[in-house]
Amino acid sequence: MAWDYDLIIVGGGPGGLTAGIYAGRARLKSLLIERLIHGGQMMTTDLVENYPGFPDGVSGFELSDRMRKQAERFGLEVLAGEVLDLQPGPPHTVVLEDRQLTAGAVIISSGAGYRRLEAPGEHEFTGKGVSYCATCDGALYRGHTIAVVGGGDTALTDTIFLTRFADKIHLIHRRDALRGEKVLQEQIFASEKVEIHWDTVVQEIQGAEAVERVRLKNVKTGEEAALEVTGVFIFVGITPNSGWLKNRVAMDEWGFIFTDEQMATDIPGVFAVGDVRHKLLRQIATAVGDGAIAAFAAEHYLAAHHRGGKA
Ligand code: NAP
């Protein structure tokens, strides 16, 4: 059996790029397809402080750039394009807008994107004060009073980043305890710029041309309030980029892909890594581990099942 590539990797976040490094070193003819720009969510992280080897932290952009260069050094090909479908083989067919490519094995590393709050006004004011990316839009709010919604690692990391610009940040969280790492919580509690609104949800985001205020409700007391803000940053979790797979691989109820310890999905020769996978901890460090395992498993799968096959 012949195919275009031994391995096609869909998505260029840290999981996909690490798979590319390992696949290149295993001398698999490999292609990584990335929709926008390599790096995935890592690219929008200002400072990555918990990836080992960088005691002073490293920018998401730099880390991504280094991973990509490392993968290309070992022969990974990179193609910009959007994958629309995966037709299970063998060989597996990866469908793009303008072409179809076949591969002996596929690694899905399409990552995850931000989840919306689904509050009135959110959609209307997206780009007009409502944002999902602090590193993209934070500098627009120098000297402003803004709101951040959420209590996880992203909300805390990005609130800390936003204190560089905003004069005052209202952190709105639906419970009475933060979810994010303790070390981040300590920084939040120590910041004079941050005021936390516990047990509080956003009822509506209001304004004329752009965001002017956010209406809140305390879920315990029922008390309602309004805050005058010019920006609302929403960090309420992530949703997997797996819709393009049209349920061809087994997923949980939210669309995160089930894999075994070897990152194998329920389709032989198709693997999944990183944030798109059903897993306990979504971090750059865990995506990198997933990528290494999946490339190794794909190499063994190809050797065992397709002895005669080659790209
Ligand atoms: P997350 O951990 O799922 O946290 C989402 C936060 O939003 C939670 O505090 C949640 O409240 C809140 N929330 C969810 N739906 C809501 C709604 N409808 N209304 C109001 N609040 C809502 O998501 P994340 O912070 O984006 O992180 C995603 C993954 O990336 C995590 O595994 C995280 O560890 C990782 N990450 C790590 C770092 C880092 O290590 N520095 C940085 C960024 C992301 P509850 O707490 O009440 O559920």
Side-chain angles (χ1 to χ4, degrees):
M1 193 185 303
W3 43 64
D4 298 316
Y5 290 91
D6 297 319
L7 175 66
I8 291 182
I9 302 164
V10 181
L17 289 170
T18 303
I21 293 170
Y22 278 72
R25 290 174 64 84
R27 297 290 181 240
L28 298 180
K29 185 183 179 197
S30 308
L31 174 74
L32 183 147
I33 304 171
E34 174 56 56
R35 184 162 52 165
L36 296 166
I37 184 166
H38 62 89
Q41 292 178 95
M42 175 166 66
M43 283 292 283
T44 61
T45 306
D46 169 56
L47 190 67
V48 178
E49 281 192 311
N50 55 4
Y51 190 72
F54 297 89
D56 301 319
V58 57
S59 81
F61 180 87
E62 183 182 346
L63 189 54
S64 165
D65 199 47
R66 284 169 173 253
M67 286 184 187
R68 178 190 165 122
K69 282 182 180 143
Q70 196 173 351
E72 286 182 332
R73 192 181 131 214
F74 294 115
L76 179 71
E77 284 179 47
V78 178
L79 175 72
E82 176 148 17
V83 177
L84 304 176
D85 198 4
L86 170 63
Q87 290 161 1
H92 305 296
T93 303
V94 173
V95 180
L96 291 107
E97 216 166 66
D98 57 345
R99 70 189 99 171
Q100 302 199 349
L101 296 166
T102 55
V106 172
I107 295 178
I108 300 163
S109 56
S110 45
Y114 56 77
R115 187 190 293 153
R116 287 178 184 266
L117 198 54
E118 308 297 351
E122 179 182 8
H123 183 69
E124 184 187 343
F125 292 115
T126 295
K128 297 174 187 162
V130 170
S131 172
Y132 303 86
C133 179
T135 47
C136 314
D137 299 328
L140 301 172
Y141 296 92
R142 197 177 293 277
H144 289 224
T145 297
I146 60 172
V148 170
V149 187
D153 283 334
T154 306
L156 303 191
T157 307
D158 288 10
T159 296
I160 293 160
F161 173 71
L162 288 166
T163 58
R164 290 192 206 168
F165 308 106
D167 274 357
K168 167 100 184 172
I169 301 177
H170 295 282
L171 180 59
I172 298 158
H173 185 41
R174 64 181 177 182
R175 286 191 296 131
D176 58 1
L178 297 172
R179 178 181 292 277
E181 277 184 331
K182 291 287 181 289
V183 65
L184 298 173
Q185 294 191 25
E186 286 163 15
Q187 290 176 62
I188 291 285
F189 296 144
S191 172
E192 287 179 357
K193 287 187 170 181
V194 181
E195 181 182 342
I196 306 181
H197 300 257
W198 301 104
D199 303 308
T200 300
V201 293
V202 171
Q203 285 206 297
E204 188 174 357
I205 298 164
Q206 298 178 325
E209 299 296 307
V211 170
E212 291 173 13
R213 84 190 63 78
V214 59
R215 298 197 65 81
L216 308 175
K217 183 174 184 176
N218 185 299
V219 291
K220 284 193 176 154
T221 64
E223 199 179 318
E224 297 189 11
L227 295 173
E228 302 296 314
V229 294
T230 50
V232 181
F233 284 83
I234 297 171
F235 306 116
V236 294
I238 58 171
T239 178
N241 296 326
S242 60
W244 61 278
L245 284 159
K246 305 174 177 74
N247 284 316
R248 291 190 195 276
V249 298
M251 300 173 187
D252 67 15
E253 58 190 301
W254 297 283
F256 292 103
I257 299 169
F258 287 121
T259 64
D260 65 12
E261 270 188 11
Q262 305 193 358
M263 306 300 140
T265 69
D266 60 337
I267 300 177
V270 176
F271 303 82
V273 303
D275 283 5
V276 76
R277 191 166 83 80
H278 176 95
K279 66 194 290 193
L280 177 66
L281 181 62
R282 294 191 172 83
Q283 299 277 301
I284 298 171
T286 61
V288 160
D290 289 358
I293 293 168
F296 186 78
E299 180 194 357
H300 282 251
Y301 167 82
L302 289 168
H305 297 273
H306 300 288
R307 241 162 235 294
K310 60 178 167 42

